[in-house]
């Protein structure tokens, strides 16, 4: 009878084990890609010093650990073997439990590497730790080499710092930590290997000294200084009674926090977007479009490493272009808002609130032009921008000693400063602070628009007693673009960011240079392109006024060196941003725009068949790549007659069919006011 009871009990145990997904022997996935390995590195708080309880002994068939012999076994605390008499519950198992819960079909392999009491100096080739009689780095290398025979390393969990919280050592800790991260990544051949650092225990009974604060600062600053790194705080966790090590409950909570940080770090998130809108810059200004008058190496580099569009069309002047860009609708559809205004009922239907509602941080720096800011300090906020730093359009200077409104307040510190530098400083600061979430940074440039002449007095000159000429502005436009790209590189955000560069209309025909004897001196602006001298066409509906540059750049996503002839007009930006980011389009809005996201990503072409622009005096045009029809009936072959000198009369049947299509398009559109 007793034997029967024992057999029955054994069967119940087997059943329970099977029901809980447990086995006595580890099962290593046949496919290495399904075996995700994590290094548990650092010192005693990573090794674990919590009391071993029943929960510590529980196992899961999908959570394995590497033992001292280099063999895989079911993971049970203690995982480490650095100090056999001291080790206990750590954070590894609770991290792994969260991981396998969220990743069906994946087995986790934990690689114990921590050595209690080890300073970071022992975590280098040949480093020796006398307390454990071990070589922390060399031992880690050997364990990783053994482990990767079966799986793929997916991250490093690091908890260390107490041994370096001493004068002299703390001062060099950050440098040593960054170097160690590079070595971990080189070891596994993954330059973007996630690295998560945990905060040392902060217990009221043992206040931190300055050295410990310095080490903690190195951990906390990791995400802003090193790509694919995370930081886990220890707020609210308790010690086991020794004022150094956590208790079992806190270790398990710490493991959950490590997983949350890892998940946030590795989640597939939509790209950051940097939208650069230059002011009064035609194609002839840029080297990548054949311009030879001005050096534009930074913008040209975006084209060389991304793709350049040859058929992008704006409105001929700035305010209508901005309305169209932000709303995805043509100005005539919105009843042509008066210059310097925006319809209040449309404020929540632009690309900024669309992206904000999708979880993006949003900011604009530079030109606003949708109101007189002094009369409506919060319009940018209502229109979806969390932060803004914009010049007082028609209120003050935009270049030297600029008049800036920043987040609803006039800046009082701009005397002697240069506006374009301040706009870019603001956006770089925004991108750095918001780097942990997707962001939309809209650089609405002042450059290369000349100074304003309509505030009743001349605005301040530059240091040499005049305003910038067009050449100087174009050179500085390129410099500011370079600053933004460099900042993205330094923040390790370049590969995560789609950059779109375009301009609001063609180059101005003349540009203010100085104010003399009660009059503004405004030299004409001519630029060379492909051996031809061209005067700026701003304000005109011809190609020099409305056919503008467009460059898309996103490393790893946008093919380099591509030239794209898809038709794009300014109504297309909003739906494109929605598709690229996964944001929901504004509700109950009939857009004029067509997304060109598939063109950007190389997966297809835009569905747009004709582009549109409108100007003053109720003039409009619609066009294909080859033909252009004005609302007054003038019809041109743009390949044969790019200067529009000879309107077409009798045409072939094929060309007549194009004209019929364009006529139908014009009939569908309202007339500009």
């Amino acid at each position: 009878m007793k034997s029967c009871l024992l057999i029955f009990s054994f069967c119940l145990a087997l059943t329970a084990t099977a029901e809980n997904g447990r086995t006595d022997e580890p099962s290593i996935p046949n496919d290495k890609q399904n075996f995700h390995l994590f290094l548990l590195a650092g010192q005693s708080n990573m090794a674990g010093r919590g009391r071993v309880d029943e929960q510590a002994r529980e196992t899961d068939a999908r959570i394995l650990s590497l033992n001292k012999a280099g063999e895989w076994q079911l993971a049970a605390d203690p995982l480490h073997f650095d100090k056999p008499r001291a080790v206990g519950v750590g954070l590894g198992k609770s991290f792994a439990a969260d991981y396998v819960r969220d990743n069906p079909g994946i087995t986790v392999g934990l690689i114990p590497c921590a050595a209690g009491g080890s300073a970071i100096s022992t975590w280098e080739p040949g480093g020796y730790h006398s307390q454990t009689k071990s070589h922390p780095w060399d031992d880690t290398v050997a364990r990783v080499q053994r482990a990767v025979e079966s799986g793929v390393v997916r991250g490093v969990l690091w908890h260390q710092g107490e041994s370096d919280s001493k004068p002299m050592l703390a001062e060099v800790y950050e440098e040593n930590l960054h170097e160690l991260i590079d070595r971990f990544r080189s070891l596994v051949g993954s330059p973007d290997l996630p690295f998560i650092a945990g905060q040392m225990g902060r217990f009221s009974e043992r206040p931190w000294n300055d050295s410990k604060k310095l080490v903690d600062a190195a951990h906390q600053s990791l995400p802003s200084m090193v790509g694919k790194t995370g930081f886990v705080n220890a707020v609210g966790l308790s010690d086991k009674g020794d004022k150094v090590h956590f208790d079992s409950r806190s270790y398990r909570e710490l493991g959950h926090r490590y997983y949350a940080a890892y998940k946030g770090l590795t989640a597939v998130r939509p790209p950051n977007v940097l939208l650069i809108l230059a002011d009064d810059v035609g194609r002839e200004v840029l080297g990548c479009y054949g311009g030879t008058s001005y050096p534009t190496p930074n913008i040209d580099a975006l084209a060389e490493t991304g793709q350049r569009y040859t058929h992008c069309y704006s409105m001929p002047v700035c305010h209508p272009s901005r309305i169209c860009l932000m709303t995805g609708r043509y100005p005539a559809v919105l009843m042509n808002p008066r210059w310097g205004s925006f319809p209040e009922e449309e404020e929540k239907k632009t690309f900024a609130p669309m992206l904000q509602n999708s979880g993006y941080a949003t900011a604009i720096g530079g030109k606003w032009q949708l109101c007189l800011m002094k009369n409506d300090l919060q319009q940018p906020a209502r229109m979806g921008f969390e932060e803004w730093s914009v010049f007082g359009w028609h209120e003050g200077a935009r270049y030297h000693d600029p008049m800036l409104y920043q987040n609803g307040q006039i800046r009082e510190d701009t005397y002697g400063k240069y506006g374009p530098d301040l706009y870019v400083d603001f956006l770089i600061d925004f991108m750095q602070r918001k780097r942990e979430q997707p962001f939309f940074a809209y650089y609405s440039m002042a450059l290369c628009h000349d100074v304003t002449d309509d505030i009743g007095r001349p605005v301040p000159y530059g240091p040499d007693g005049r305003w910038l000429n067009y050449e100087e502005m174009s050179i500085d436009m390129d410099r500011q673009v370079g600053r933004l790209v460099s900042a993205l590189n330094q923040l390790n955000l370049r590969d995560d960011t789609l950059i779109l560069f375009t301009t609001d209309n063609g180059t101005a025909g003349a540009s203010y240079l100085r104010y003399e004897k009660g009059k503004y001196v405004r030299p004409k602006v001519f630029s060379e392109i492909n051996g031809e001298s061209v005067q700026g066409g701003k304000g005109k509906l011809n190609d020099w006024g409305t056919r503008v540059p467009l460059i898309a750049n996103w490393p790893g996503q946008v093919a380099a060196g591509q030239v794209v002839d898809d038709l794009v007009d300014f109504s297309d930006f909003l739906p494109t941003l929605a598709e690229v980011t996964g944001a929901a389009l504004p509700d109950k809005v009939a857009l004029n725009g067509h997304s060109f996201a598939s063109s950007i990503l190389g997966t297809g072409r835009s569905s747009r068949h004709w582009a549109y622009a409108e100007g003053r005096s109720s003039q409009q045009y619609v066009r294909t790549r080859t033909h252009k029809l004005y609302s007054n009936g003038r019809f041109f072959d743009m390949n044969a007659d790019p200067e529009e000198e000879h309107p077409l009369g009798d045409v072939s049947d094929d060309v007549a069919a194009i004209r019929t299509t364009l006529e139908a398009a014009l009939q569908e559109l309202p007339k500009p006011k």
Side-chain angles (χ1 to χ4, degrees):
M1 182 66 178
K2 187 174 183 179
S3 298
C4 291
L5 287 173
L6 288 173
I7 293 172
F8 179 68
S9 299
F10 179 67
C11 290
L12 284 177
L14 285 178
T15 301
T17 299
E19 289 176 351
N20 288 313
R22 301 173 188 162
T23 62
D24 291 328
E25 296 296 329
S27 177
I28 301 172
N30 293 326
D31 186 347
K32 291 176 62 172
Q33 298 302 318
N34 292 332
F35 193 20
H36 294 185
L37 312 179
F38 291 89
L39 279 66
L40 309 180
Q43 54 185 103
S44 56
N45 265 323
M46 178 58 75
R49 295 296 188 256
R51 183 178 65 83
V52 176
D53 52 16
E54 288 301 315
Q55 187 176 347
R57 299 185 179 93
E58 293 177 356
T59 60
D60 185 309
R62 293 170 57 207
I63 303 176
L64 310 182
S65 65
L66 199 69
N67 63 25
K68 192 173 184 179
E71 299 170 340
W72 292 110
Q73 63 183 25
L74 297 179
D77 282 318
L79 300 174
H80 279 75
F81 32 81
D82 59 319
K83 295 181 179 180
R85 295 182 181 180
V87 290
V89 171
L91 61 89
K93 275 183 58 186
S94 58
F95 170 89
D98 288 350
Y99 193 95
V100 298
R101 177 199 65 208
D102 286 354
N103 294 275
I106 298 300
T107 297
V108 166
L110 301 172
I111 307 174
C113 301
S118 57
I120 201 168
S121 60
T122 65
W123 285 83
E124 56 187 32
Y128 179 70
H129 183 235
S130 59
Q131 289 184 32
T132 55
K133 297 181 174 57
S134 66
H135 298 79
W137 176 255
D138 295 344
D139 293 344
T140 295
V141 172
R143 289 168 193 161
V144 168
Q145 291 173 343
R146 174 71 179 89
V148 296
E149 295 174 5
S150 306
V152 179
V153 177
R154 294 301 183 104
V156 178
L157 311 187
W158 175 257
H159 200 291
Q160 194 266 350
E162 290 89 350
S163 293
D164 285 271
S165 296
K166 303 176 180 64
M168 304 297 288
L169 294 180
E171 293 178 3
V172 296
Y173 183 80
E174 182 175 78
E175 179 182 351
N176 290 335
L177 179 63
H178 292 184
E179 192 274 335
L180 177 64
I181 294 170
D182 287 341
R183 253 189 298 115
F184 271 122
R185 290 172 170 175
S186 295
L187 173 62
V188 302
S190 175
D192 293 321
L193 182 72
F195 182 97
I196 313 291
Q199 188 172 43
M200 296 173 287
R202 189 163 196 171
F203 310 118
S204 58
E205 301 90 341
R206 182 172 291 178
W208 281 2
N209 59 25
D210 290 341
S211 295
K212 187 163 284 191
K213 292 176 183 177
L214 193 59
V215 170
D216 182 66
H219 290 150
Q220 291 206 40
S221 67
L222 270 181
S224 65
M225 301 184 70
V226 181
K228 285 293 189 294
T229 61
F231 171 75
V232 174
N233 71 62
V235 175
L237 302 185
S238 51
D239 69 286
K240 60 182 286 186
D242 62 1
K243 314 301 185 294
V244 175
H245 301 103
F246 301 106
D247 57 25
S248 296
R249 179 201 64 81
S250 296
Y251 276 120
R252 289 170 181 138
E253 170 59 23
L254 198 57
H256 295 315
R257 294 182 186 183
Y258 267 85
Y259 176 69
Y262 182 86
K263 185 177 180 180
L265 194 63
T266 58
V268 178
R269 77 176 202 181
N272 307 313
V273 178
L274 171 60
L275 173 59
I276 303 174
L277 180 68
D279 199 339
D280 291 1
V281 179
R283 292 169 293 128
E284 73 276 13
V285 175
L286 305 182
C288 56
Y289 281 88
T292 55
S293 294
Y294 323 104
T296 55
N298 293 301
I299 298 172
D300 295 346
L302 289 178
E304 291 166 9
T305 59
Q307 61 187 27
R308 175 172 62 86
Y309 287 75
T310 58
H311 283 282
C312 178
Y313 297 91
S314 69
M315 303 300 142
V317 286
C318 51
H319 181 258
S321 286
R322 282 165 168 75
I323 294 287
C324 188
L325 183 82
M326 296 183 73
T327 65
R329 287 173 285 171
Y330 299 135
V333 173
L334 295 173
M335 305 298 291
N336 293 103
R338 63 180 174 80
W339 203 269
S341 72
F342 191 88
E344 187 173 354
E345 65 275 11
E346 304 294 337
E347 288 181 344
K348 297 300 183 185
K349 301 174 185 177
T350 70
F351 55 36
M354 177 187 78
L355 293 171
Q356 188 179 47
N357 293 338
S358 187
Y360 274 73
T362 56
I364 179 172
K367 186 173 187 176
W368 183 241
Q369 201 185 15
L370 303 181
C371 72
L372 286 179
M373 193 66 67
K374 64 182 179 181
N375 297 331
D376 195 349
L377 295 174
Q378 295 300 315
Q379 189 190 45
R382 295 198 311 274
M383 292 182 63
F385 290 101
E386 296 175 28
E387 301 183 31
W388 61 95
S389 184
V390 295
F391 58 79
W393 176 74
H394 288 294
E395 298 178 56
R398 65 188 71 183
Y399 289 111
H400 303 287
D401 304 343
M403 181 182 183
L404 303 189
Y405 289 91
Q406 187 154 318
N407 300 333
Q409 302 290 329
I410 294 180
R411 285 187 58 167
E412 303 290 348
D413 61 346
T414 65
Y415 180 75
K417 295 181 180 178
Y418 178 58
D421 283 343
L422 297 181
Y423 313 136
V424 171
D425 289 345
F426 165 79
L427 289 172
I428 290 173
D429 176 68
F430 167 78
M431 294 188 298
Q432 181 170 6
R433 287 185 289 105
K434 300 297 184 178
R435 68 189 308 272
E436 294 305 312
Q437 70 179 104
F439 60 73
F440 173 59
Y442 179 20
Y443 181 26
S444 180
M445 280 190 168
L447 299 158
C448 296
H449 193 298
D450 53 11
V451 299
T452 187
D453 66 342
D454 53 5
I455 62 172
R457 66 186 186 283
V459 297
Y461 283 138
D464 61 355
R466 61 174 176 82
W467 298 308
L468 299 173
N469 63 32
Y470 193 84
E471 179 180 12
E472 291 167 325
M473 289 190 290
S474 66
I475 291 172
D476 198 56
M477 167 188 66
D478 187 76
R479 179 179 71 89
Q480 301 295 353
V481 170
R483 289 184 63 206
L484 286 166
V485 175
S486 295
L488 288 171
N489 284 322
Q490 292 168 7
L491 293 169
N492 293 298
L493 294 172
R494 189 67 185 85
D495 291 348
D496 302 320
T497 304
L498 167 64
I499 298 176
L500 294 172
F501 174 91
T502 190
T503 72
D504 64 350
N505 46 248
T507 307
S511 183
Y512 291 121
L513 188 59
R514 58 172 49 89
Y515 183 79
E516 293 179 349
K517 300 178 181 179
K519 295 183 179 180
Y520 287 93
V521 177
R522 198 179 196 192
K524 293 180 180 180
V525 177
F526 285 87
S527 307
E528 297 287 329
I529 179 170
N530 298 322
E532 179 183 2
S533 181
V534 175
Q535 185 176 10
K538 175 182 178 179
K540 300 177 181 179
L541 279 169
N542 64 16
D543 270 12
W544 299 117
T546 61
R547 188 174 176 183
V548 294
L550 171 59
I551 298 168
N553 190 291
W554 183 6
Q557 303 296 325
V558 174
Q562 300 297 304
V563 179
V564 182
D565 68 353
D566 282 23
L567 282 169
V568 175
D569 74 26
F570 264 35
S571 69
D572 296 337
F573 281 80
L574 184 147
T576 300
L577 292 176
E579 185 172 350
V580 168
T581 64
L585 290 168
D587 190 34
K588 299 178 181 178
V589 174
L591 298 176
N592 298 117
H594 297 241
S595 172
F596 58 96
S598 59
S599 173
I600 290 175
L601 300 174
T603 59
R605 302 201 65 171
S606 168
S607 61
R608 176 171 289 284
H609 299 299
W610 48 263
Y612 169 86
E614 62 184 58
R616 298 184 177 93
S617 303
S618 299
Q619 281 297 299
Q620 302 162 285
Y621 75 66
V622 289
R623 64 164 295 164
T624 64
R625 296 178 192 84
T626 58
H627 291 82
K628 183 175 183 180
L629 177 67
Y630 283 90
S631 52
N632 63 7
R634 291 182 302 142
F635 184 50
F636 295 96
D637 181 335
M638 297 303 294
N639 287 340
D641 184 20
E643 298 299 327
E644 304 177 20
E645 295 175 342
H646 307 290
L648 295 174
D650 294 335
V651 295
S652 66
D653 290 346
D654 289 345
V655 175
I658 295 173
R659 177 167 186 154
T660 298
T661 298
L662 296 179
E663 286 173 339
L666 279 174
Q667 288 297 317
E668 295 175 2
L669 295 167
K671 292 291 183 183
K673 293 171 61 177

